[in-house]
Amino acid sequence: MASNSDSIYNVLTFVQRHPDRVIFNPREYANTVTVGIPDSVKVSNPEIYFPSDHLSVNLLADSFVGEYGDLLNHFYELTKQSKPDFREVWVTTSHLKHQNLYLLDLSFE
């Protein structure tokens, strides 16, 4: 499953380390974080992980959430959630070609 790859981990790490190089979209929903990442950022197999002009939605595997919990907690803290935990994380990705951005949306359930 694409959402459980090293590519998604690497993109999340890039966003965490370089928040000044990405665009955080306004939070419309309490449990989500939406980020625009310049498509000049190197991503392995972007055609798989960031399909052009359509959405790819995947549930992160429990093993991914367990292994990278600290990284995901960083993004969870950016939500409007008042509950201190989550059980599932959905990731939605796309390549917004006309905006030269990769879209990354995390939904914490």
Side-chain angles (χ1 to χ4, degrees), residues 58-99:
N58 291 288
L59 175 64
L60 292 176
D62 290 341
S63 59
F64 187 96
V65 174
E67 185 171 354
Y68 303 118
D70 289 342
L71 178 61
L72 293 170
N73 282 336
H74 167 78
F75 289 97
Y76 182 77
E77 291 173 2
L78 301 175
T79 70
K80 295 179 184 177
Q81 291 286 89
S82 58
K83 191 169 80 170
D85 67 312
F86 54 89
R87 291 193 180 103
E88 297 178 335
V89 181
W90 290 85
V91 60
T92 302
T93 58
S94 182
H95 181 204
L96 308 175
K97 289 171 57 171
H98 297 303
Q99 295 177 4

Side-chain angles (χ1 to χ4, degrees), residues 10-49:
N10 290 336
V11 170
L12 291 171
T13 301
F14 176 85
V15 172
Q16 180 187 33
R17 291 181 181 164
H18 304 284
D20 57 319
R21 295 181 58 193
V22 302
I23 300 165
F24 285 92
N25 291 344
R27 292 177 295 211
E28 293 184 45
Y29 305 102
N31 64 324
T32 66
V33 174
T34 304
V35 183
I37 302 140
D39 63 7
S40 58
V41 172
K42 297 292 183 193
V43 176
S44 298
N45 304 109
E47 68 282 355
I48 295 172
Y49 303 107

